[in-house]
Coordinates of all heavy atoms in Angstrom, one line a residue:
Chain B
I40 N 151.9 20.7 335.7 CA 151.3 21.6 334.7 C 152.3 22.7 334.6 O 152.5 23.4 335.6 CB 149.9 22.0 335.0 CG1 149.0 20.8 335.0 CG2 149.4 23.1 334.1 CD1 147.5 21.1 335.3
M41 N 152.9 22.9 333.4 CA 153.8 24.0 333.2 C 153.3 25.1 332.3 O 152.7 24.8 331.3 CB 155.1 23.4 332.6 CG 156.1 22.9 333.7 SD 157.7 22.7 332.9 CE 158.3 24.4 333.2
G42 N 153.7 26.3 332.6 CA 153.3 27.4 331.6 C 153.9 28.6 332.2 O 154.3 28.7 333.3
A43 N 154.0 29.6 331.3 CA 154.5 30.9 331.6 C 153.6 31.6 332.6 O 152.4 31.2 332.8 CB 154.8 31.8 330.4
S44 N 154.1 32.7 333.2 CA 153.2 33.4 334.1 C 152.0 34.0 333.3 O 152.2 34.5 332.2 CB 154.0 34.5 334.7 OG 153.3 35.3 335.6
G45 N 150.8 33.9 333.8 CA 149.7 34.4 333.1 C 149.0 33.5 332.1 O 148.1 33.8 331.5
S46 N 149.6 32.2 332.1 CA 149.0 31.3 331.1 C 147.7 30.6 331.6 O 147.1 29.9 330.8 CB 150.1 30.2 330.8 OG 150.5 29.6 332.0
G47 N 147.4 30.8 332.9 CA 146.1 30.2 333.4 C 146.3 29.1 334.4 O 145.3 28.4 334.7
K48 N 147.5 28.9 334.9 CA 147.8 27.8 335.8 C 146.9 27.9 337.1 O 146.3 27.0 337.5 CB 149.3 27.7 336.1 CG 150.2 27.6 334.9 CD 151.6 27.4 335.4 CE 152.2 28.6 336.2 NZ 152.4 29.8 335.4
T49 N 147.0 29.1 337.7 CA 146.3 29.3 339.0 C 144.8 29.2 338.7 O 144.1 28.6 339.6 CB 146.7 30.6 339.6 OG1 148.1 30.6 339.8 CG2 145.9 30.9 340.9
T50 N 144.4 29.7 337.6 CA 142.9 29.6 337.3 C 142.5 28.2 337.2 O 141.5 27.8 337.8 CB 142.7 30.3 335.9 OG1 143.2 31.6 336.0 CG2 141.2 30.3 335.6
L51 N 143.3 27.4 336.6 CA 142.9 25.9 336.4 C 142.9 25.3 337.8 O 142.0 24.5 338.2 CB 144.0 25.3 335.5 CG 143.8 23.8 335.3 CD1 142.4 23.5 334.7 CD2 144.9 23.2 334.4
L52 N 143.9 25.6 338.6 CA 144.0 24.9 339.9 C 142.9 25.3 340.8 O 142.3 24.5 341.6 CB 145.4 25.3 340.6 CG 145.9 24.2 341.5 CD1 146.1 22.9 340.8 CD2 147.3 24.7 342.1
N53 N 142.5 26.6 340.7 CA 141.4 27.1 341.5 C 140.1 26.4 341.2 O 139.3 26.1 342.0 CB 141.2 28.6 341.4 CG 142.2 29.4 342.1 OD1 142.9 28.9 343.0 ND2 142.3 30.7 341.8
I54 N 140.0 26.1 339.9 CA 138.8 25.4 339.5 C 138.8 23.9 340.0 O 137.8 23.4 340.5 CB 138.6 25.4 337.9 CG1 138.2 26.8 337.5 CG2 137.6 24.4 337.4 CD1 138.2 27.1 336.0
L55 N 140.0 23.3 339.8 CA 140.1 21.9 340.3 C 139.8 21.8 341.8 O 139.3 20.8 342.3 CB 141.5 21.4 340.0 CG 141.8 21.2 338.5 CD1 143.2 20.7 338.4 CD2 140.8 20.3 337.8
S56 N 140.2 22.9 342.5 CA 140.0 22.8 344.0 C 138.8 23.5 344.5 O 138.7 23.8 345.7 CB 141.3 23.4 344.6 OG 141.4 24.7 344.1
T57 N 137.8 23.7 343.6 CA 136.5 24.3 343.9 C 136.5 25.7 344.5 O 135.6 26.2 345.0 CB 135.7 23.4 345.0 OG1 136.2 23.5 346.2 CG2 135.6 22.0 344.6
L58 N 137.7 26.3 344.4 CA 137.7 27.7 344.9 C 137.1 28.6 343.8 O 136.7 29.8 344.1 CB 139.2 28.2 345.1 CG 139.8 27.5 346.3 CD1 141.3 27.8 346.4 CD2 139.2 27.9 347.6
D59 N 137.0 28.1 342.6 CA 136.4 28.9 341.5 C 135.6 27.9 340.7 O 135.8 26.7 340.8 CB 137.5 29.6 340.7 CG 137.0 30.8 340.0 OD1 135.7 31.0 340.0 OD2 137.8 31.6 339.5
T60 N 134.6 28.4 339.9 CA 133.9 27.5 339.1 C 134.1 27.8 337.6 O 134.3 28.9 337.2 CB 132.4 27.7 339.3 OG1 132.1 29.1 339.3 CG2 131.9 27.1 340.7
P61 N 134.1 26.7 336.8 CA 134.4 27.0 335.3 C 133.1 27.6 334.7 O 132.0 27.4 335.2 CB 134.6 25.5 334.8 CG 133.9 24.7 335.8 CD 134.0 25.3 337.1
T62 N 133.4 28.3 333.6 CA 132.2 28.9 332.9 C 131.5 27.8 332.2 O 130.2 27.8 332.1 CB 132.7 29.9 331.9 OG1 133.7 30.8 332.5 CG2 131.6 30.8 331.3
S63 N 132.2 26.8 331.7 CA 131.5 25.6 331.1 C 132.5 24.5 331.2 O 133.7 24.6 331.5 CB 131.1 25.9 329.7 OG 132.2 26.0 328.9
G64 N 131.9 23.2 331.0 CA 132.7 22.0 331.1 C 132.5 21.3 332.4 O 131.8 21.9 333.3
S65 N 133.1 20.2 332.5 CA 132.9 19.4 333.8 C 134.2 19.0 334.4 O 135.2 18.8 333.7 CB 132.0 18.2 333.5 OG 132.8 17.2 332.9
V66 N 134.3 18.9 335.7 CA 135.4 18.4 336.4 C 135.0 17.3 337.4 O 134.2 17.6 338.2 CB 136.1 19.6 337.2 CG1 137.3 19.1 338.0 CG2 136.5 20.7 336.3
Q67 N 135.6 16.2 337.2 CA 135.3 15.1 338.1 C 136.5 14.8 339.0 O 137.6 14.7 338.4 CB 135.0 13.8 337.4 CG 133.7 13.9 336.5 CD 132.7 12.9 336.9 OE1 133.0 11.9 337.6 NE2 131.5 13.1 336.4
I68 N 136.4 14.8 340.3 CA 137.5 14.4 341.1 C 137.0 13.3 342.0 O 136.0 13.4 342.7 CB 138.0 15.6 342.0 CG1 138.6 16.6 341.0 CG2 139.0 15.2 343.0 CD1 139.2 17.8 341.7
A69 N 137.8 12.2 342.0 CA 137.5 11.0 342.8 C 136.0 10.6 342.5 O 135.3 10.2 343.4 CB 137.7 11.2 344.3
G70 N 135.6 10.7 341.2 CA 134.3 10.2 340.8 C 133.2 11.2 341.1 O 132.0 10.9 340.9
Q71 N 133.5 12.4 341.6 CA 132.5 13.3 342.0 C 132.5 14.6 341.0 O 133.6 15.1 340.8 CB 132.7 13.8 343.4 CG 131.5 14.3 344.1 CD 131.7 14.4 345.6 OE1 132.9 14.1 346.1 NE2 130.7 14.8 346.3
D72 N 131.4 15.0 340.5 CA 131.4 16.2 339.7 C 131.4 17.4 340.6 O 130.4 17.8 341.1 CB 130.1 16.2 338.7 CG 130.2 17.3 337.7 OD1 131.1 18.2 337.9 OD2 129.4 17.3 336.8
I73 N 132.5 18.1 340.7 CA 132.6 19.1 341.7 C 132.0 20.4 341.2 O 131.8 21.3 342.0 CB 134.1 19.4 342.0 CG1 134.9 19.8 340.8 CG2 134.7 18.2 342.7 CD1 136.2 20.5 341.1
T74 N 131.6 20.5 339.9 CA 131.0 21.8 339.5 C 129.5 21.8 339.9 O 128.9 22.9 339.8 CB 131.1 21.9 338.0 OG1 130.5 20.7 337.4 CG2 132.5 22.0 337.5
K75 N 129.0 20.7 340.4 CA 127.6 20.7 340.8 C 127.4 20.8 342.3 O 126.3 20.7 342.8 CB 127.0 19.4 340.3 CG 127.0 19.2 338.8 CD 125.7 18.7 338.3 CE 125.6 19.0 336.8 NZ 126.6 18.3 336.0
L76 N 128.4 21.1 343.0 CA 128.3 21.2 344.5 C 127.8 22.6 345.0 O 128.1 23.6 344.3 CB 129.7 20.9 345.2 CG 130.3 19.5 344.8 CD1 131.7 19.5 345.4 CD2 129.4 18.4 345.3
N77 N 127.1 22.6 346.1 CA 126.8 23.9 346.7 C 128.0 24.3 347.6 O 128.9 23.6 347.8 CB 125.5 23.9 347.4 CG 125.5 23.0 348.7 OD1 126.6 22.9 349.3 ND2 124.4 22.4 349.0
T78 N 127.9 25.6 348.1 CA 129.1 26.1 348.8 C 129.5 25.2 350.0 O 130.7 25.1 350.2 CB 128.9 27.5 349.3 OG1 127.5 27.7 349.7 CG2 129.2 28.5 348.2
N79 N 128.6 24.7 350.8 CA 128.9 23.9 351.9 C 129.6 22.6 351.5 O 130.5 22.1 352.0 CB 127.7 23.6 352.7 CG 127.4 24.7 353.7 OD1 128.2 25.6 354.0 ND2 126.1 24.8 354.1
E80 N 129.0 22.0 350.4 CA 129.6 20.8 349.9 C 131.0 21.0 349.4 O 131.9 20.2 349.5 CB 128.7 20.2 348.8 CG 127.4 19.6 349.4 CD 126.3 19.4 348.3 OE1 126.5 19.9 347.1 OE2 125.4 18.6 348.5
M81 N 131.2 22.2 348.8 CA 132.5 22.5 348.3 C 133.5 22.6 349.4 O 134.6 22.0 349.3 CB 132.5 23.9 347.5 CG 132.0 23.8 346.1 SD 132.1 25.4 345.4 CE 131.3 25.1 343.8
A82 N 133.1 23.3 350.5 CA 133.9 23.4 351.7 C 134.3 22.0 352.2 O 135.5 21.7 352.4 CB 133.3 24.2 352.7
D83 N 133.3 21.2 352.3 CA 133.5 19.8 352.9 C 134.4 19.0 351.9 O 135.3 18.3 352.3 CB 132.2 19.1 353.0 CG 131.4 19.7 354.1 OD1 131.9 20.5 354.9 OD2 130.1 19.4 354.2
F84 N 134.2 19.2 350.6 CA 135.0 18.5 349.6 C 136.5 18.9 349.8 O 137.4 18.0 349.8 CB 134.5 18.9 348.2 CG 135.3 18.2 347.1 CD1 135.0 16.9 346.8 CD2 136.3 18.9 346.5 CE1 135.7 16.3 345.8 CE2 137.0 18.3 345.5 CZ 136.8 17.0 345.1
R85 N 136.7 20.2 349.9 CA 138.1 20.7 350.1 C 138.7 20.1 351.4 O 139.8 19.7 351.4 CB 138.2 22.2 350.1 CG 137.9 22.9 348.8 CD 138.4 24.3 348.8 NE 137.7 25.2 349.8 CZ 136.6 25.7 349.6 NH1 136.0 25.6 348.4 NH2 136.0 26.5 350.5
A86 N 137.9 20.1 352.4 CA 138.4 19.6 353.7 C 138.7 18.1 353.7 O 139.7 17.7 354.3 CB 137.4 19.9 354.8
N87 N 137.9 17.3 352.9 CA 138.1 15.9 353.0 C 139.0 15.3 351.9 O 139.7 14.4 352.1 CB 136.7 15.2 352.9 CG 135.9 15.5 354.1 OD1 136.3 15.5 355.2 ND2 134.6 15.9 353.9
K88 N 138.8 15.9 350.7 CA 139.4 15.2 349.5 C 140.7 15.8 349.0 O 141.3 15.2 348.2 CB 138.3 15.1 348.4 CG 137.1 14.4 348.8 CD 137.3 12.9 348.7 CE 136.1 12.1 349.3 NZ 134.9 12.3 348.5
I89 N 140.9 17.0 349.4 CA 142.0 17.8 348.8 C 143.1 18.2 349.8 O 142.7 18.5 350.9 CB 141.5 19.0 348.1 CG1 140.5 18.6 347.0 CG2 142.6 19.8 347.5 CD1 140.0 19.8 346.2
G90 N 144.3 18.2 349.4 CA 145.4 18.8 350.2 C 146.0 19.9 349.4 O 146.1 19.8 348.1
F91 N 146.4 21.0 350.1 CA 146.9 22.2 349.4 C 148.3 22.5 349.8 O 148.6 22.5 351.0 CB 146.1 23.4 349.8 CG 144.9 23.6 348.9 CD1 143.6 23.5 349.5 CD2 145.0 24.0 347.6 CE1 142.5 23.7 348.7 CE2 143.9 24.3 346.8 CZ 142.6 24.1 347.4
I92 N 149.1 22.8 348.8 CA 150.4 23.5 349.2 C 150.5 24.8 348.4 O 150.4 24.7 347.2 CB 151.6 22.6 348.9 CG1 151.4 21.2 349.6 CG2 152.9 23.2 349.5 CD1 152.4 20.2 349.2
F93 N 150.7 25.9 349.1 CA 150.7 27.1 348.4 C 152.1 27.7 348.3 O 153.0 27.3 349.0 CB 149.8 28.2 349.1 CG 148.4 27.8 349.3 CD1 148.1 27.1 350.5 CD2 147.5 28.0 348.4 CE1 146.8 26.8 350.8 CE2 146.1 27.6 348.6 CZ 145.8 27.0 349.8
Q94 N 152.3 28.6 347.3 CA 153.6 29.2 347.2 C 154.0 29.9 348.4 O 155.2 29.8 348.9 CB 153.6 30.2 346.0 CG 154.9 30.9 345.8 CD 154.9 31.8 344.5 OE1 153.9 31.8 343.8 NE2 156.0 32.4 344.3
D95 N 153.1 30.7 349.0 CA 153.5 31.5 350.2 C 153.1 30.8 351.5 O 152.7 31.4 352.5 CB 152.9 32.9 350.1 CG 151.4 32.8 349.9 OD1 150.9 31.7 349.7 OD2 150.7 33.9 349.9
F96 N 153.2 29.5 351.5 CA 153.0 28.6 352.7 C 151.6 28.6 353.3 O 151.0 27.6 353.6 CB 154.0 28.9 353.8 CG 155.4 29.2 353.3 CD1 156.1 30.4 353.6 CD2 156.0 28.4 352.4 CE1 157.4 30.6 353.1 CE2 157.3 28.6 351.9 CZ 158.0 29.8 352.3
N97 N 151.1 29.9 353.6 CA 149.8 30.0 354.1 C 149.6 29.3 355.4 O 148.6 28.6 355.7 CB 148.8 29.5 353.1 CG 148.0 30.6 352.5 OD1 147.7 31.6 353.1 ND2 147.8 30.5 351.2
L98 N 150.6 29.3 356.3 CA 150.5 28.7 357.6 C 149.9 29.8 358.5 O 150.0 31.0 358.3 CB 151.8 28.3 358.2 CG 152.5 27.2 357.4 CD1 153.9 27.0 357.9 CD2 151.7 25.9 357.5
L99 N 149.2 29.4 359.6 CA 148.7 30.3 360.5 C 149.7 30.6 361.6 O 150.2 29.7 362.3 CB 147.4 29.8 361.2 CG 146.3 29.6 360.3 CD1 145.1 28.8 360.9 CD2 145.7 30.9 359.8
E100 N 150.2 31.9 361.6 CA 151.3 32.2 362.5 C 151.0 32.1 363.9 O 151.9 32.1 364.8 CB 151.8 33.6 362.2 CG 151.8 34.2 360.8 CD 150.5 34.7 360.5 OE1 150.0 35.6 361.2 OE2 149.9 34.2 359.5
N101 N 149.7 32.1 364.3 CA 149.4 32.0 365.7 C 149.2 30.6 366.2 O 148.8 30.4 367.3 CB 148.2 32.9 366.1 CG 147.0 32.7 365.2 OD1 147.0 31.7 364.5 ND2 146.1 33.5 365.3
L102 N 149.5 29.6 365.3 CA 149.4 28.2 365.7 C 150.8 27.6 365.6 O 151.6 28.0 364.7 CB 148.4 27.4 364.9 CG 147.0 27.8 364.9 CD1 146.2 26.9 364.1 CD2 146.4 27.8 366.4
T103 N 151.2 26.7 366.4 CA 152.4 26.0 366.3 C 152.4 25.1 365.1 O 151.3 24.8 364.5 CB 152.8 25.1 367.5 OG1 151.7 24.2 367.6 CG2 152.8 26.0 368.8
A104 N 153.6 24.6 364.7 CA 153.6 23.7 363.6 C 152.7 22.5 363.8 O 151.9 22.1 362.9 CB 155.0 23.1 363.4
Y105 N 152.7 21.9 365.0 CA 151.8 20.8 365.3 C 150.4 21.2 365.1 O 149.6 20.5 364.4 CB 152.0 20.3 366.8 CG 151.1 19.2 367.2 CD1 151.5 17.9 367.0 CD2 149.8 19.5 367.7 CE1 150.7 16.9 367.4 CE2 149.0 18.4 368.0 CZ 149.4 17.1 367.9 OH 148.6 16.1 368.2
E106 N 150.0 22.3 365.6 CA 148.6 22.8 365.6 C 148.2 23.0 364.1 O 147.0 22.8 363.7 CB 148.4 24.0 366.4 CG 148.5 23.7 367.9 CD 148.6 25.0 368.8 OE1 149.0 26.0 368.2 OE2 148.3 24.9 370.0
N107 N 149.1 23.6 363.4 CA 148.8 23.8 361.9 C 148.5 22.5 361.2 O 147.6 22.4 360.4 CB 150.0 24.5 361.3 CG 149.8 26.0 361.2 OD1 149.0 26.5 360.5 ND2 150.6 26.8 362.0
I108 N 149.4 21.5 361.5 CA 149.2 20.3 360.8 C 147.9 19.6 361.3 O 147.2 18.9 360.5 CB 150.4 19.3 361.1 CG1 151.7 20.0 360.5 CG2 150.2 18.0 360.5 CD1 153.0 19.4 360.9
A109 N 147.6 19.7 362.6 CA 146.4 19.1 363.1 C 145.1 19.7 362.6 O 144.0 19.1 362.7 CB 146.4 19.1 364.6
L110 N 145.2 20.9 362.1 CA 144.0 21.7 361.8 C 143.0 21.0 360.9 O 141.8 21.0 361.2 CB 144.4 23.1 361.2 CG 143.3 24.1 361.1 CD1 142.8 24.5 362.5 CD2 143.9 25.4 360.5
P111 N 143.4 20.4 359.7 CA 142.4 19.8 358.8 C 141.7 18.6 359.5 O 140.5 18.5 359.3 CB 143.3 19.2 357.7 CG 144.5 20.0 357.7 CD 144.8 20.4 359.1
L112 N 142.4 17.9 360.4 CA 141.7 16.8 361.1 C 140.7 17.4 362.1 O 139.5 16.9 362.2 CB 142.7 16.0 361.9 CG 143.7 15.2 361.0 CD1 144.7 14.5 361.8 CD2 143.0 14.3 360.0
A113 N 141.1 18.5 362.8 CA 140.1 19.1 363.8 C 138.9 19.6 363.1 O 137.8 19.5 363.5 CB 140.8 20.2 364.5
L114 N 139.2 20.2 361.9 CA 138.0 20.7 361.1 C 137.1 19.6 360.7 O 135.9 19.8 360.6 CB 138.6 21.3 359.8 CG 138.9 22.8 359.9 CD1 139.5 23.3 358.5 CD2 137.7 23.6 360.2
Q115 N 137.6 18.4 360.5 CA 136.7 17.3 360.2 C 136.1 16.6 361.4 O 135.5 15.6 361.3 CB 137.4 16.2 359.4 CG 137.9 16.6 358.0 CD 138.6 15.5 357.3 OE1 138.3 14.4 357.5 NE2 139.6 15.9 356.5
N116 N 136.4 17.2 362.6 CA 135.9 16.7 363.9 C 136.4 15.3 364.1 O 135.7 14.4 364.6 CB 134.4 16.8 364.0 CG 134.0 18.2 364.2 OD1 134.6 18.9 364.9 ND2 132.9 18.6 363.6
V117 N 137.6 15.0 363.7 CA 138.3 13.7 364.0 C 138.5 13.8 365.5 O 138.8 14.8 366.1 CB 139.6 13.6 363.3 CG1 140.4 12.3 363.8 CG2 139.3 13.5 361.8
S118 N 138.3 12.6 366.2 CA 138.5 12.7 367.7 C 139.9 12.9 368.0 O 140.9 12.4 367.4 CB 138.0 11.4 368.3 OG 139.0 10.4 368.2
P119 N 140.1 13.7 369.1 CA 141.5 14.1 369.5 C 142.4 12.9 369.7 O 143.6 13.0 369.5 CB 141.3 14.9 370.8 CG 139.9 15.4 370.7 CD 139.1 14.4 369.9
K120 N 141.8 11.8 370.1 CA 142.7 10.6 370.3 C 143.3 10.2 369.0 O 144.4 9.7 369.0 CB 141.8 9.5 370.8 CG 141.8 9.4 372.4 CD 141.2 8.1 372.8 CE 140.2 8.3 373.9 NZ 138.9 8.0 373.5
K121 N 142.6 10.3 367.9 CA 143.2 9.9 366.6 C 144.0 10.9 365.9 O 144.8 10.6 365.1 CB 142.0 9.5 365.6 CG 141.3 8.3 366.1 CD 140.2 7.9 365.0 CE 139.3 6.9 365.6 NZ 138.0 6.9 365.0
I122 N 143.9 12.2 366.4 CA 144.6 13.3 365.8 C 146.1 13.1 366.0 O 146.9 13.1 365.1 CB 144.2 14.6 366.3 CG1 142.8 14.9 365.7 CG2 145.1 15.7 365.9 CD1 142.2 16.3 366.1

Side-chain angles (χ1 to χ4, degrees):
Chain B
I40 294 180
M41 275 198 84
S44 181
S46 54
K48 304 185 297 290
T49 299
T50 305
L51 178 60
L52 210 57
N53 283 346
I54 288 173
L55 294 180
S56 54
T57 73
L58 291 172
D59 204 348
T60 48
T62 312
S63 66
S65 78
V66 179
Q67 298 239 346
I68 293 187
Q71 203 168 2
D72 187 348
I73 59 163
T74 56
K75 297 227 161 60
L76 303 174
N77 66 30
T78 35
N79 278 340
E80 289 165 343
M81 280 183 185
D83 294 346
F84 179 81
R85 287 197 297 278
N87 296 316
K88 301 282 171 64
I89 297 180
F91 271 112
I92 308 175
F93 304 93
Q94 177 173 0
D95 51 355
F96 321 127
N97 257 319
L98 296 173
L99 295 169
E100 323 83 57
N101 51 14
L102 297 182
T103 61
Y105 178 92
E106 291 165 338
N107 264 293
I108 298 169
L110 194 60
L112 297 177
L114 270 179
Q115 291 180 37
N116 287 322
V117 173
S118 83
K120 267 195 226 110
K121 290 186 192 151
I122 289 183

